[in-house]
Amino acid sequence: MRNIFVYVGSRNGEASKTLKIINEILKKVYCLVEDKSLNISVFHPQNSYIERCRGCISCFFYGKCPLDSTDDMGKLKSEMLKADFIIFGTPIYAANVSGDMKVFFDRISYWMHLLRLCGKPAIAVTTSTGNGISFVSEYLYIAMSFLGLKVIKQLNAAIFDLSQLEEDNLLKQEIDNCSRSIYEYLMGNKKVESDKTMEVIFFNLKKAIIGYEKMPNYEYLFWKNNGLLECKTFNELLQKKSMLKDFNIVEF
Ligand SMILES: Cc1cc2nc3c(=O)[nH]c(=O)nc-3n(C[C@H](O)[C@H](O)[C@H](O)COP(=O)(O)O)c2cc1C
C-alpha cells in the first residue's frame, strides 16, 4: 500500500478551492495506479483540530509536544511519518500562508532541525487571486525543505472561479503534471535526489548541531543516534535513510 498525506490549511473544508485542486490531482493519480493500492489521508481544519503552539519549547528540548495528546497533531504526525508522498496546500491570506497552515508548521518546527521527513517527495500547492504568490511559494519551499522533504513541484493557481478547473488549459496541464510526477515517485520510477538547496540546509544544520557536542541536547542526540552526524552530505543521508524504515525516536 502506498500512502499519501495531505494537509490543506483552508477552513472551507470540502468547498476549499485549494482542496478541490488537490482532489483533481489525486483523482488522476488514482486512475494511473493500476492496482489501486493507494491510501490517501486528507486533513484540513474542518476534520482535524490543531491548537496553536504555546512556545514552551518542549519539542526542541525533549522532542515532545504536550499538545499532541490533547489535539489531533499527534495523529497527523504519525500519518506524515508513514507517508510515501506529502502534499501541503494553502490559500494565500494577506500575502502569506493561511493562519491554519502556519499553525501546522509551527507545531512541527522542531522537525525542521531534524530533517524528520527526509527522503519523502512532496508537492506544494497555493491558491489565491494572484497576489503574494512568489513570497508564499518560496516560504512553503523553504519550510518543506527544512523538514527534509524534496519539493518536486509547486502549483500556484490564481483561481477566481471553479469553472477554471474545466476551462483553464494551463491549470489542467499543471494538475496533470503533478499527478504524473506523484505517480512516478509512488511507483519508484523516480527517486528522491539531493540538490543544492538540500545540501546547503544539511550543511548549516549540521554545523549548528555539532555546536551542542559538549552539552548534548535532544537534537544532538537525534542526529548522533540516527547517524545523521556521520553523513558528510544530504545525499549520503538519503542513501542511509533509504535503508532505514524510520529514524529512531530519541528519549531525552
Ligand atoms: C482573509 C483572506 C485573505 C486573502 N488574502 C489574499 C491575498 O493576500 N492575496 C490573494 O491573491 N488572495 C487572497 N485571498 C483570496 C484567497 O487566497 C483565495 O480565494 C483562495 O483560493 C481561497 O482558497 P480556499 O477556497 O482553499 O480557502 C484572501 C482570502 C481571504 C478569505
Side-chain angles (χ1 to χ4, degrees), residues 1-250:
M1 190 62 80
R2 298 147 186 116
N3 297 304
I4 303 181
F5 175 92
V6 181
Y7 186 75
V8 176
S10 167
R11 294 203 167 194
N12 288 318
E14 295 300 323
S16 152
K17 295 189 190 105
T18 319
L19 182 56
K20 285 199 190 285
I21 287 181
I22 292 173
N23 278 340
E24 284 301 304
I25 296 172
L26 294 171
K27 262 193 260 167
K28 285 174 191 275
V29 176
Y30 190 74
C31 288
L32 289 167
V33 175
E34 270 177 26
D35 63 6
K36 309 297 171 206
S37 61
L38 264 188
N39 177 33
I40 304 174
S41 308
V42 180
F43 297 98
H44 50 71
Q46 277 194 9
N47 70 5
S48 52
Y49 175 59
I50 305 178
E51 255 193 69
R52 278 173 298 178
C53 167
R54 289 181 188 163
C56 70
I57 337 186
S58 161
C59 60
F60 289 110
F61 277 119
Y62 308 113
K64 284 183 189 143
C65 173
L67 300 173
D68 281 359
S69 53
T70 58
D71 67 10
D72 292 321
M73 202 58 194
K75 181 173 144 207
L76 267 63
K77 280 156 86 172
S78 46
E79 293 284 335
M80 272 187 272
L81 293 173
K82 269 196 327 208
D84 303 295
F85 201 100
I86 303 255
I87 303 177
F88 292 147
T90 181
I92 293 181
Y93 281 1
N96 214 314
V97 294
S98 69
D100 288 286
M101 194 73 232
K102 183 60 168 56
V103 167
F104 176 89
F105 280 132
D106 289 349
R107 289 287 300 278
I108 48 172
S109 291
Y110 73 114
W111 279 9
M112 294 183 191
H113 290 182
L114 310 175
L115 298 164
R116 192 70 180 87
L117 299 175
C118 148
K120 297 180 194 287
I123 284 182
V125 177
T126 70
T127 67
S128 66
T129 48
N131 298 310
I133 294 174
S134 58
F135 174 80
V136 177
S137 170
E138 178 68 8
Y139 169 74
L140 277 180
Y141 177 72
I142 294 296
M144 291 166 77
S145 299
F146 267 93
L147 288 169
L149 294 168
K150 169 80 179 194
V151 182
I152 58 150
K153 286 227 175 304
Q154 291 165 277
L155 195 164
N156 300 299
I159 186 156
F160 303 89
D161 195 294
L162 284 172
S163 64
Q164 279 173 255
L165 284 173
E166 307 291 327
E167 292 158 13
D168 184 334
N169 286 335
L170 198 62
L171 178 59
K172 280 161 67 180
Q173 186 61 53
E174 284 193 83
I175 288 172
D176 222 42
N177 290 343
C178 285
S179 310
R180 282 181 189 283
S181 291
I182 295 173
Y183 170 76
E184 297 294 343
Y185 279 92
L186 285 180
M187 292 299 128
N189 301 336
K190 276 196 183 166
K191 297 244 181 290
V192 166
E193 287 175 4
S194 186
D195 58 27
K196 203 171 161 201
T197 303
M198 298 313 299
E199 290 301 340
V200 171
I201 286 174
F202 180 80
F203 179 84
N204 288 325
L205 276 176
K206 185 174 168 182
K207 210 161 92 180
I209 297 290
I210 288 172
Y212 295 116
E213 195 172 6
K214 292 213 165 70
M215 258 198 309
N217 61 358
Y218 169 80
E219 291 171 5
Y220 181 86
L221 292 177
F222 183 95
W223 274 65
K224 190 170 170 52
N225 295 2
N226 284 301
L228 281 78
L229 279 180
E230 289 160 22
C231 296
K232 288 192 184 63
T233 60
F234 185 71
N235 188 43
E236 227 180 277
L237 176 60
L238 283 179
Q239 311 307 322
K240 189 183 277 269
K241 184 75 191 339
S242 66
M243 289 183 276
L244 294 171
K245 201 162 181 288
D246 189 18
F247 291 132
N248 291 316
I249 302 299
V250 174

